[in-house]
């Protein structure tokens, strides 16, 4: 794959040619949030599913009700293992002929492999479309203005509670409500056009680091970060957008229903406001401690343009809501103040009081 953005002024790319940033991540975040920039999302891969049975087939395999998905409607699905843990997540939009699945690039190949094995005799044909299309992220208005040639546009439903869904985060207003986010599936040639326009100063671009910082601030889970063989959807508040609690059978459904109706997830996702006096951010996987003892781990971390250093982390359900925490870094430990995303009594006791948010840093 070529790296069309390599010669855009200030561009910093990863080893796979993906645009990480253009030298000013904080400015890029603000521009993305305000709709004056778009982000080429090289860390996202598109799978295309064609065939008459595509929606009912995906419905039978996943946590989401998809049989009646209308063309242009956006939703999200999870593929769970038999014990209800998150194996894959994908953004879903159908154009009437093709169901487009946008997945984290790190997980897309294994998702396609699994889907291919599950075709049986149904009229479905999943394929990797990464040699045909790419993904551009931004506000709905920015996407419409900059990439009018989009084949399909997925609008993130987060944090709205979809049909059959359930929200555990009781904070009002939810910080994700401030985030206007869409992802456009565009012909691959669009990347060269955008690179040329950026070099000419006609458009502003942002990197994947900026897009991810806005996601973290919105408490939005992501498969490559918050997913995995230990993660139950309940732990990340994923029942909001990716699970239909009243649909037909699928792998892992028994665990989803049992935890939601009778039990409590063993871990809970929290948002962390990190001590900004330390220049060193923790890495994903860094240990979260309470009174010096391990209590969880970081899943996502960023330096937000308004809030400063922030992170998402899974902690043990037993960690009190007001417990002071620290996070390991290469230079030692940093203090972390937690904001409740998933409360300790999520699940069987689903009705919880509204929780005030900490004031945002300016």
């Amino acid at each position: 794959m070529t790296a069309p953005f390599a010669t855009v002024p200030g561009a910093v790319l990863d080893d796979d040619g993906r645009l990480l940033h253009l030298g000013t991540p904080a400015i890029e975040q603000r521009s993305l949030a305000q709709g004056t920039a778009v982000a080429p999302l090289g860390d996202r891969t598109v799978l295309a599913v064609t065939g008459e049975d595509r929606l009912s087939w995906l419905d039978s395999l996943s946590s989401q009700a998809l049989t009646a998905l209308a063309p242009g409607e956006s939703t999200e699905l999870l593929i769970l293992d038999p014990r209800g843990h998150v194996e894959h997540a994908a953004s879903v939009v159908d154009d009437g002929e093709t169901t487009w699945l946008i997945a984290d690039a790190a997980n897309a190949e294994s998702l396609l492999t699994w889907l291919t094995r599950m075709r049986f005799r149904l009229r479905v044909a999943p394929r990797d479309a990464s040699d045909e299309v790419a993904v551009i992220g931004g506000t709905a208005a920015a996407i419409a203005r900059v990439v009018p040639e989009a084949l399909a546009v997925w609008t993130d439903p987060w944090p709205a509670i979809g049909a059959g869904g359930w929200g555990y985060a009781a904070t009002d207003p939810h910080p994700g409500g401030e985030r206007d986010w869409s992802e456009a599936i565009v012909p691959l040639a669009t990347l060269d056009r955008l690179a040329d326009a950026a070099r000419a100063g006609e458009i502003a671009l942002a990197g994947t680091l900026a897009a991810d910082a806005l996601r973290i601030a919105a408490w939005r889970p992501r498969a490559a970060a918050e997913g995995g063989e230990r993660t139950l959807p309940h732990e990340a508040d994923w029942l909001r957008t990716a699970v239909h609690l009243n649909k037909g059978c699928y792998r892992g459904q028994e665990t989803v229903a049992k935890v939601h109706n009778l039990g409590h997830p063993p871990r809970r996702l929290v948002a962390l406001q990190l001590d900004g006096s330390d220049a060193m951010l923790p890495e994903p996987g860094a240990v979260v401690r309470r009174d010096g003892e391990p209590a969880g781990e970081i899943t996502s971390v960023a330096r937000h343009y308004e809030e400063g250093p922030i992170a998402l982390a899974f902690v043990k359900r037993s960690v009190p809501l007001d417990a002071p925490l620290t996070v390991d870094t290469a230079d030692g430990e940093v203090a972390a103040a937690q904001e409740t995303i998933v409360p300790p009594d999520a699940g069987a006791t689903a009705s919880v009081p509204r929780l005030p948010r900490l004031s945002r840093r300016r």
Side-chain angles (χ1 to χ4, degrees), residues 275 278 287 289 291-293 325-335:
D275 182 356
D278 194 322
V287 176
R289 299 183 185 275
D291 296 330
E293 296 298 319
L325 304 174
T326 61
V327 179
D328 289 356
T329 73
D331 290 341
E333 294 183 351
V334 296

Side-chain angles (χ1 to χ4, degrees), residues 265-276:
R267 303 181 303 165
R268 58 187 186 87
L269 193 67
V270 298
L272 298 179
Q273 297 280 352
L274 303 174
D275 182 356

Side-chain angles (χ1 to χ4, degrees), residues 3-300:
F5 302 103
T7 59
V8 173
V12 176
L13 280 58
D14 68 9
D15 293 339
D16 294 313
R18 302 164 183 163
L19 181 63
L20 295 176
H21 62 85
L22 294 104
T24 55
I27 294 175
E28 294 165 43
Q29 289 176 43
R30 186 184 298 275
S31 297
L32 265 184
Q34 294 177 344
T36 58
V38 296
L41 301 179
D43 57 352
R44 304 283 274 165
T45 293
V46 179
L47 306 181
V49 184
T50 55
E52 296 178 39
D53 299 327
R54 64 189 185 280
L55 289 175
S56 59
W57 175 64
L58 289 169
D59 181 288
S60 70
L61 298 176
S62 76
S63 62
Q64 189 57 269
L66 297 169
T67 302
L69 186 71
E73 183 180 358
S74 299
T75 188
E76 181 182 22
L77 64 77
L78 300 177
I79 301 295
L80 307 178
D81 71 13
R83 297 180 298 161
H85 298 107
V86 177
E87 286 193 340
H88 303 286
S91 309
V92 186
V93 63
D94 189 273
D95 64 9
E97 296 182 354
T98 300
T99 302
W100 302 97
L101 305 179
I102 307 175
D104 287 331
N107 302 329
E109 183 177 357
S110 58
L111 172 58
L112 178 61
T113 297
W114 190 80
L115 290 175
T116 301
R117 290 173 180 168
M118 300 301 293
R119 287 179 300 173
F120 304 116
R121 295 181 179 273
L122 296 174
R123 296 166 295 180
V124 293
R127 73 179 190 278
D128 182 347
S130 59
D131 60 349
E132 310 165 33
V133 297
V135 182
I136 306 297
T139 66
I143 291 296
R145 182 180 70 254
V146 178
V147 286
E149 70 269 37
L151 304 176
V153 176
W154 175 78
T155 300
D156 193 352
W158 184 268
I161 300 172
W166 192 283
Y168 287 139
T171 305
D172 187 15
H174 191 292
E178 302 175 6
R179 178 171 170 261
D180 173 358
W181 188 252
S182 295
E183 296 181 2
I185 300 169
V186 301
L188 209 56
T190 296
L191 299 183
D192 292 317
R193 181 181 67 77
L194 293 183
D196 290 341
R199 282 189 289 269
E202 298 169 355
I203 63 168
L205 296 178
T208 55
L209 293 183
D212 209 45
L214 299 182
R215 173 190 71 84
I216 295 167
W219 301 355
R220 215 283 183 232
R222 179 177 180 175
E226 285 69 46
E229 61 183 14
R230 292 183 58 200
T231 301
L232 296 171
H234 320 64
E235 295 176 327
D237 204 20
W238 235 329
L239 272 63
R240 285 179 176 270
T241 52
V243 177
H244 195 296
L245 292 168
N246 303 315
K247 60 161 285 186
C249 294
Y250 58 92
R251 189 173 69 165
Q253 182 190 31
E254 182 178 358
T255 299
V256 169
K258 186 176 294 183
V259 172
H260 179 64
N261 294 311
L262 302 174
H264 302 291
R267 303 181 303 165
R268 58 187 186 87
L269 193 67
V270 298
L272 298 179
Q273 297 280 352
L274 303 174
D275 182 356
S277 63
D278 194 322
M280 181 68 68
L281 290 177
E283 296 287 336
V287 176
V288 178
R289 299 183 185 275
R290 177 195 175 202
D291 296 330
E293 296 298 319
E297 67 176 14
I298 296 291
T299 57
S300 298

